[in-house]
Amino acid sequence: MGDKANAHTGAAGRATAADHPASVRNVGLVGHSGSGKTTLVEALALTAGAVNRAGRVEDGGTVSDYDEIEHRQHRSVQLSLVPVDWDGVKINLLDTPGYADFVGELRAGLRAADAALFVISASDGVDGSTRMVWDECAAVGMPRALVITHLDGSRADFDEMTRVCADAFGGDDPDAVLPLYLPLHGAHGSDGHTPVTGLTGLLTQKLFDYSSGERKESEPGPDQQPLIDEARNRLIEGIIAESEDETLMDRYLGGEEIELGTLIKDLERAVARGTFFPVLAAAPATDGGRQGLGTVELLELVKGGFPTPLEREALAVTTPDGKPRELALCDPDGPLVAEVVKTSSDPYVGRVSLVRVFSGTLHPDDTVHVSGHGLADRGHEDHDVDERIGALSAPFGKQQRSLSHCIAGDLASVAKLNRAETGDTLSAKDDPLLMQPWEMPDPLLPLAIQAHSKADEDKLSQGLARLVAEDPTMRLEQNQDTHQVVLWCLGEAHADVALERLRSRYGVQVDVVPYKVSLRETFAGRSAGRGRHVKQSGGHGQYAICEIEVEPLPGGSGVEFVDKVVGGAVPRQFIPSVEKGVRAQAARGVALGHPIVDIRITLLDGKAHSVDSSDAAFQTAGALALREAAAGTTIHLLEPVAEVSVLVGDDYVGAVMSDLSGRRGRVLGTEQTSGGRTLVRAEVPEIEIGRYAVDLRSLSHGTARFSRSYARHEPMPPQLAAKVRQQAQEAS
């Protein structure tokens, strides 16, 4: 591994349909925003010969020509696939967004990948969100490697960053995170900085010089050997510690020189098992050179050390009615099981689905069964339909290169799947199957919107439906209490992208309006009311009189109706009419238009007319009686209270608890969890946590997560209630 300078040129690096799962590698690139993932993907494509020296594909675009929003915001906002060929192996490079708001795209990329390449900036180090993703990969045993970028920065220090990575990711065994190569530095520049011009292979003990734009191999000098020996010995010990050959360590400690081939094979097996995490260095060429520093070494690691799809543990598969189904692991001849990991819209071909095939083989024009994913609560309907797919292709920038098929273990873009959404399963129409979906992050930032104009209003519903079909991390809510259309997002950047896509992709201009929580009203004390609805207009009149008493009930009681009429003052057939009238008025509210809850309404007396009384008349009288009763007492405003659970690093527990208290929250308790984190449980008024998704990220430097659920409604403090009433009066 790492001593081969591959001479791919031109079409040699263009990935086509794979013929066997053993010749496929699926790699997810992970790292914080700005760590250099997309630039590294372009450099790997250049070295593999998938693009020309200027980094251009055949149509003149680049591999990063994915989305116009990404170009404007100068950051990745969606999962992108770049397939390349390296020495007979098809490598699917899955470039994931690094910004926390797009963690849904990140998780989709990890679902499609069989190994993860963590990209760490030597200038910025390891942030909290990267640690969290590492833990997620560790939980499922995903193989990982690290590549350190931005080595030309003024603060860049490869050795120090390797130590930081070992501390952050090594856990109890920091020797599981060790470099395979050491940087070679050139002459001092005028600014005192020594640029990285090549790499030293610790196993091969070879120097690889990239200074000319082409990778050149040479032998180390006498002055370099001591440094190589020290790092090489530690690396060999780390590899042998993971070896399945228990005699290897004794032989090594006894002075035996272990064969290079044995070390490389043990290294590759340890990486594929997810027990050893090599560290590499990379610096994309900036002068149009053929190869960026470290790109050959990375491609060789992916080819030799990362697992094939055949080595991935099988995912749970059931029939649509939930019966488990056993499948052979990654069999191209087995039953078709594929999953939509990304959905996007193309202005020319319509909806395009990025699909990972786990079993069987997918062909153009196949009729497949689409099974739903159970995200109806987010505006994504369940699916159980047959669809005929269109063409298969391999995405590359703005190009789509046609594929004749897509076997188990490979990925492809599928056109014309008009019903399938991200997370759906594709299977044979006569043998429908369903994969267990991956965990989607819960969107917790509300964005209330309304159409900008009448023309936008006509297009809003369709635009929103298409928007949420592409993004399962977004939830669409039509709030019946506040009459608002609410998009629940993961953060401000996520919300900005949603608004931009509505405008530019679907032609819908919307205005953002203040988000409203669902308030309630209740009676402060006992009160009575009389409803009189008597009208005579010559002909059939209207006559209904009822007298009620209203009393408050404990929270959560709802609205009770009690009939205590005696003597037939209100005929029995009209008592349900009174109840219907008071309940309808309670739903409309009596003070600010919020529903009334937690009251008992007792019908005491009334009057009727043998001819003019009617169901409608007594409904109206009941509503009038409740309004009169409300005028005779104080109406309290109730606000919703949420149960909030915050998982935060121990260093930020105090700040989080103080912040919750400042939001009128009541901390219920704390609980220690693994990984030096604490679970803080609290009850907080929902009006205080509208932006908590954003504020908590800032407070914890992106390391905390929280969940929320409705608990109950409670009386709003008088000063806040007065402010709400004043705002309502000003708006009316």
Side-chain angles (χ1 to χ4, degrees):
M1 181 187 301
D3 61 346
K4 182 191 298 182
N6 210 307
H8 283 278
T9 58
R14 297 177 192 161
T16 56
D19 294 322
H20 193 276
S23 64
V24 178
R25 305 289 186 276
N26 298 309
V27 184
L29 280 81
V30 178
H32 66 80
S33 184
S35 62
K37 297 182 301 296
T38 300
T39 304
L40 180 60
V41 168
E42 294 176 349
L44 293 172
L46 175 65
T47 295
V51 295
N52 60 29
R53 287 181 177 270
R56 316 297 288 185
V57 293
E58 291 175 355
D59 66 350
T62 69
V63 294
S64 58
D65 285 335
Y66 304 122
D67 194 302
E68 59 184 17
I69 298 175
E70 293 179 315
H71 285 288
R72 282 196 290 272
Q73 297 196 3
H74 303 290
R75 65 181 169 202
S76 297
V77 301
Q78 63 179 358
L79 171 67
S80 299
L81 169 64
V82 177
V84 300
D85 180 83
W86 182 255
D87 199 23
V89 171
K90 182 180 182 182
I91 300 176
N92 290 314
L93 300 170
L94 292 150
D95 184 11
T96 68
Y99 199 68
D101 281 13
F102 308 105
V103 66
E105 298 278 331
L106 165 64
R107 290 185 179 173
L110 292 177
R111 173 73 160 209
D114 301 314
L117 184 62
F118 279 73
V119 184
I120 309 295
S121 169
S123 300
D124 301 328
V126 179
D127 67 344
S129 60
T130 304
R131 295 172 190 255
M132 292 170 66
V133 177
W134 181 277
D135 291 341
E136 288 187 21
C137 292
V140 297
M142 176 171 282
R144 284 145 284 161
L146 301 100
V147 55
I148 297 178
T149 60
H150 298 163
L151 296 170
D152 54 349
S154 58
R155 295 177 297 154
D157 186 329
F158 179 84
D159 293 336
E160 175 59 26
M161 191 51 57
T162 300
R163 285 190 289 271
V164 169
C165 290
D167 291 340
F169 306 130
D172 297 332
D173 184 13
D175 283 342
V177 181
L178 292 172
L180 295 185
Y181 301 87
L182 297 180
L184 279 175
H185 293 275
H188 283 275
S190 57
D191 57 356
H193 180 63
T194 55
V196 178
T197 59
L199 299 171
T200 302
L202 295 180
L203 290 183
T204 61
Q205 301 187 78
K206 302 288 186 182
L207 304 186
F208 305 108
D209 185 6
Y210 281 85
S211 59
S212 66
E214 297 290 343
R215 185 176 184 264
K216 297 180 180 179
E217 180 181 324
S218 62
E219 300 292 332
D223 57 330
Q224 297 168 311
Q225 197 63 49
L227 182 61
I228 295 175
D229 289 342
E230 180 182 353
R232 185 174 190 268
N233 290 337
R234 189 180 179 194
L235 173 61
I236 291 175
E237 290 177 7
I239 294 172
I240 292 176
E242 301 296 335
S243 175
E244 297 175 355
D245 185 350
E246 297 179 358
T247 68
L248 208 58
M249 182 63 77
D250 291 336
R251 290 160 50 194
Y252 175 72
L253 294 177
E256 181 178 336
E257 183 70 24
I258 307 301
E259 291 183 357
L260 177 61
T262 299
L263 291 173
I264 290 177
K265 288 181 180 179
D266 278 340
L267 169 63
E268 292 174 347
R269 280 193 289 263
V271 172
R273 287 198 310 267
T275 58
F276 187 81
F277 316 107
V279 182
L280 298 90
T286 58
D287 58 354
R290 183 75 184 109
Q291 295 169 339
L293 183 144
T295 53
V296 170
E297 287 74 18
L298 269 174
L299 290 167
E300 284 296 314
L301 173 68
V302 170
K303 172 182 174 290
F306 280 179
T308 72
L310 294 167
E311 300 170 73
R312 177 169 180 161
E313 183 178 349
L315 298 174
V317 178
T318 67
T319 59
D321 58 2
K323 296 179 181 178
R325 177 71 177 274
E326 293 291 334
L327 293 178
L329 183 61
C330 200
D331 181 6
D333 298 321
L336 177 64
V337 179
E339 189 172 37
V340 179
V341 295
K342 176 188 170 184
T343 308
S344 58
S345 294
D346 185 278
Y348 301 105
V349 299
R351 185 178 293 184
V352 178
S353 304
L354 180 61
V355 171
R356 161 79 191 250
V357 180
F358 288 92
S359 175
T361 300
L362 195 62
H363 298 91
D365 299 321
D366 279 349
T367 298
V368 298
H369 186 80
V370 179
S371 299
H373 44 51
L375 289 174
D377 62 321
R378 301 192 186 185
H380 303 262
E381 63 178 3
D382 288 348
H383 296 135
D384 190 17
V385 297
D386 291 339
E387 278 200 272
R388 185 178 181 181
I389 67 175
L392 298 182
S393 58
F396 202 85
K398 291 183 177 179
Q399 287 187 349
Q400 294 288 337
R401 295 169 176 167
S402 297
L403 296 177
S404 60
H405 62 276
C406 183
I407 64 168
D410 204 358
L411 290 101
S413 290
V414 179
K416 299 183 179 179
L417 277 175
N418 296 320
R419 295 292 300 278
E421 299 180 5
T422 301
D424 282 352
T425 302
L426 309 183
S427 54
K429 64 176 183 178
D430 56 351
D431 187 15
L433 298 171
L434 181 64
M435 296 184 67
Q436 180 180 348
W438 68 87
E439 181 182 354
M440 300 287 186
D442 195 12
L444 295 169
L445 179 68
L447 183 72
I449 59 174
Q450 63 185 22
H452 181 70
S453 66
K454 181 63 172 65
D456 294 309
E457 188 173 337
D458 296 337
K459 298 182 291 184
L460 180 59
S461 178
Q462 183 180 8
L464 289 173
R466 294 173 68 182
L467 183 69
V468 298
E470 293 185 13
D471 189 352
T473 63
M474 191 173 292
R475 177 160 58 91
L476 176 62
E477 176 190 8
Q478 306 274 354
N479 193 300
Q480 299 302 314
D481 291 334
T482 63
H483 308 291
Q484 285 188 319
V485 176
V486 183
L487 276 176
W488 287 84
C489 306
L490 295 176
E492 288 182 310
H494 193 205
D496 290 344
V497 168
L499 295 177
E500 178 63 18
R501 283 181 175 160
L502 278 175
R503 183 193 65 78
S504 62
R505 188 175 292 178
Y506 306 125
V508 182
Q509 187 76 35
V510 298
D511 297 324
V512 177
V513 297
Y515 170 70
K516 301 176 182 177
V517 300
S518 299
L519 301 178
R520 297 286 186 267
E521 301 173 359
T522 195
F523 279 52
R526 189 184 298 267
S527 183
R530 184 172 190 266
R532 183 177 186 274
H533 184 61
V534 178
K535 288 188 177 182
Q536 295 291 339
S537 56
H540 189 69
Q542 299 180 54
Y543 190 98
I545 297 175
C546 63
E547 296 180 6
I548 65 171
E549 183 180 69
V550 183
E551 57 185 313
L553 293 177
S557 300
V559 176
E560 292 184 12
F561 181 82
V562 179
D563 169 23
K564 287 191 176 181
V565 174
V566 295
V570 177
R572 305 307 303 171
Q573 69 268 28
F574 293 133
I575 289 177
S577 302
V578 176
E579 180 178 1
K580 188 175 182 180
V582 296
R583 286 188 180 277
Q585 185 63 55
R588 292 191 296 268
V590 293
L592 300 179
H594 303 297
I596 299 177
V597 295
D598 304 333
I599 57 171
R600 177 183 291 123
I601 303 169
T602 303
L603 177 61
L604 301 174
D605 201 358
K607 292 182 180 180
H609 189 277
S610 59
V611 175
D612 292 341
S613 291
S614 65
D615 170 68
F618 271 100
Q619 285 191 46
T620 302
L624 291 171
L626 184 61
R627 286 157 58 182
E628 183 175 291
T633 188
T634 301
I635 300 298
H636 283 167
L637 278 179
L638 305 179
E639 62 179 344
V641 175
E643 292 183 2
V644 177
S645 296
V646 185
L647 186 62
V648 60
D650 293 343
D651 293 342
Y652 301 104
V653 170
V656 166
M657 293 177 66
S658 176
D659 178 73
L660 290 172
S661 298
R663 297 173 187 270
R664 298 190 286 126
R666 295 184 294 272
V667 176
L668 303 179
T670 61
E671 179 183 335
Q672 285 295 126
T673 64
S674 60
R677 291 184 287 184
T678 299
L679 182 67
V680 180
R681 294 181 292 106
E683 291 182 344
V684 191
E686 288 190 9
I687 201 170
E688 301 287 350
I689 55 173
R691 287 181 51 83
Y692 194 56
V694 177
D695 298 338
L696 179 63
R697 185 179 300 165
S698 175
L699 187 67
S700 66
H701 297 274
T703 62
R705 299 177 182 175
F706 84 102
S707 61
R708 57 182 281 183
S709 60
Y710 170 76
R712 62 188 171 275
H713 273 74
E714 289 185 353
M716 181 179 284
Q719 66 274 17
L720 288 181
K723 184 178 180 181
V724 171
R725 291 189 176 95
Q726 181 181 355
Q727 291 173 344
Q729 292 173 356
E730 293 173 352
S732 61

